Amino acid sequence: MTLARFAGATDPGRRRRRNEDSYVIDPPVFAVADGMGGAQAGEVASKLAAGAVKEHGADVESLVQEANRRVHQRSLEDPNTSGMGTTLTVAAVEDSVVSIGHVGDSRAYLVRDGNLEQLTEDHSLVGELMRTGKLSAEEAGSHPQRSMITRALGTDPNVDVDIFSVEPRIGDLFLLCSDGLTSMVDDREILRLVGEKRGDLQELVKVLIKAANKGGGEDNITVVAFEIGEAPDGEDTVVVPAPSAEPDTQPDDEDTLTEADHVPTVDTVVVSVDEISAVYERDRQRASAPRGRRRLLTRALSFLVVIALLFGVAYLIVWGLAA
Ligand code: MG
């Protein structure tokens, strides 16, 4: 097998002034990071994580932990970046496995035998609600808190990372993407576009981004794709081509904040899993509140009717006696 082809692209989308997403194409390592925080902090966070990924050599788990350490450290040192964080989804092709490390709501997909499989679990409010059966996929798409994530890189000194591996097969196509794609384009449409455009991966990532923009482009959109092909010598383990001169890490490494960067653009926030239940309970109570008010009104009206009837009867008796 061989790591035959790969491509990636990012786009700010149609609603955001800044692009807080970053990606890494540095075979055999690929990654997508979606930063968050006020001002330019989200960009700083995702770039720091991408930078840590670039300096790979370690296993995926330590690579993600190192990225976490760097983002967290910076947020402690620089008050402008306090509270910043980022998602990180990394895939490393290692001999006969593809190792994946994941935190947040960016996603890794595998297209195999004409099917699209989401490999990662979304660490998000709606993801948790869906897993516990409290929300359907349709409701999740329009949920007002759909940008709340439950795990992020950089918000704490340590991070809980999902680590797993996939045994690759010839013809496998892996996609890494930020939620700017998946919140605008559903899985069926992604699969359809893959079927149409996978002959040219650079074209495919462009077309996916275009579809997200057409769907509204409400967030920054990033897509990275890589494919496992057949090696000329029929080798079973994945042969990675010699690294090119410069790894493709986007955007550039300008990662300091200035006063001019104070643009109030807070979007994604991190919540704990405990808070999810509280939010869910509050929403449920709000939804049932009108019913509660209606019941109160009905009771008050019934009470008035009874009083009126009593007065009527009393009046009739008094009137009868007088007559
Ligand atoms: Mg995003």
Side-chain angles (χ1 to χ4, degrees):
M1 284 182 280
T2 176
L3 184 53
R5 302 186 296 152
F6 37 84
T10 189
D11 187 90
R14 294 168 59 188
R15 300 284 177 84
R16 308 279 169 112
R17 257 180 294 178
R18 297 182 175 282
N19 192 345
E20 298 188 319
D21 286 359
S22 295
Y23 71 84
V24 176
I25 294 185
D26 187 15
V29 176
F30 302 88
V32 165
D34 176 354
M36 50 158 212
Q40 212 186 337
E43 281 171 73
V44 175
S46 73
K47 280 180 204 165
L48 281 172
V53 168
K54 241 193 325 179
E55 295 163 29
H56 56 86
D59 60 293
V60 169
E61 164 92 50
S62 17
L63 191 148
V64 179
Q65 290 295 351
E66 173 60 14
N68 181 70
R69 198 193 59 73
R70 290 192 195 181
V71 178
H72 185 61
Q73 189 60 33
R74 173 68 72 89
S75 77
L76 295 180
E77 290 164 3
D78 180 356
N80 288 336
T81 65
S82 166
M84 72 174 170
T86 181
T87 71
L88 182 62
T89 302
V90 190
V93 185
E94 303 161 330
D95 298 335
S96 51
V97 292
V98 175
S99 296
I100 295 181
H102 166 71
V103 177
D105 67 348
S106 298
R107 289 181 182 174
Y109 285 102
L110 169 61
V111 182
R112 175 183 284 176
D113 301 332
N115 296 308
L116 181 82
E117 186 194 349
Q118 186 181 332
L119 299 173
T120 48
E121 251 181 19
D122 295 345
H123 301 141
S124 65
L125 171 75
V126 293
E128 297 287 345
L129 291 178
M130 277 171 68
R131 277 192 286 284
T132 51
K134 287 172 176 164
L135 207 67
S136 70
E138 298 80 66
E139 289 170 315
S142 57
H143 198 280
Q145 277 102 24
R146 63 184 179 279
S147 61
M148 276 192 184
I149 59 175
T150 51
R151 258 196 252 174
L153 214 77
T155 53
D156 288 293
N158 290 299
V159 64
D160 188 9
V161 188
D162 287 355
I163 300 278
F164 57 91
S165 59
V166 177
E167 271 185 42
R169 292 190 205 155
I170 291 165
D172 279 355
L173 178 73
F174 290 82
L175 288 177
L176 308 180
C177 53
S178 62
D179 68 330
L181 174 72
T182 52
S183 59
M184 294 288 121
V185 187
D186 65 22
D187 288 5
R188 268 176 60 173
E189 181 63 4
I190 292 175
L191 183 61
R192 195 185 68 79
L193 293 170
V194 167
E196 233 172 57
K197 301 285 179 189
R198 79 175 283 175
D200 181 346
L201 292 191
Q202 197 59 55
E203 176 69 9
L204 171 65
V205 298
K206 272 191 205 154
V207 161
L208 288 170
I209 287 172
K210 207 169 160 188
N213 274 325
K214 213 171 142 196
E218 285 177 15
D219 197 359
N220 308 143
I221 312 146
T222 304
V223 188
V224 167
F226 62 94
E227 193 184 56
I228 308 293
E230 193 165 5
D233 57 2
E235 181 70 48
D236 268 351
T237 56
V238 183
V239 180
V240 177
S244 55
E246 265 304 294
D248 187 358
T249 308
Q250 189 288 328
D252 292 318
D253 294 317
E254 198 277 292
D255 62 359
T256 45
L257 290 185
T258 66
E259 287 301 309
D261 290 319
H262 279 280
V263 185
T265 48
V266 175
D267 42 303
T268 309
V269 292
V270 190
V271 293
S272 74
V273 178
D274 291 342
E275 282 172 76
I276 289 174
S277 305
V279 169
Y280 176 74
E281 198 50 36
R282 197 191 61 208
D283 283 359
R284 206 181 56 81
Q285 276 170 6
R286 270 194 198 150
S288 63
R291 238 179 298 147
R293 275 200 291 275
R294 249 198 320 273
R295 204 157 44 226
L296 202 68
L297 199 67
T298 314
R299 278 195 197 151
L301 279 174
S302 316
F303 180 72
L304 285 175
V305 167
V306 170
I307 295 290
L309 279 174
L310 285 174
F311 268 103
V313 170
Y315 177 78
L316 282 175
I317 292 170
V318 171
W319 182 77
L321 284 179

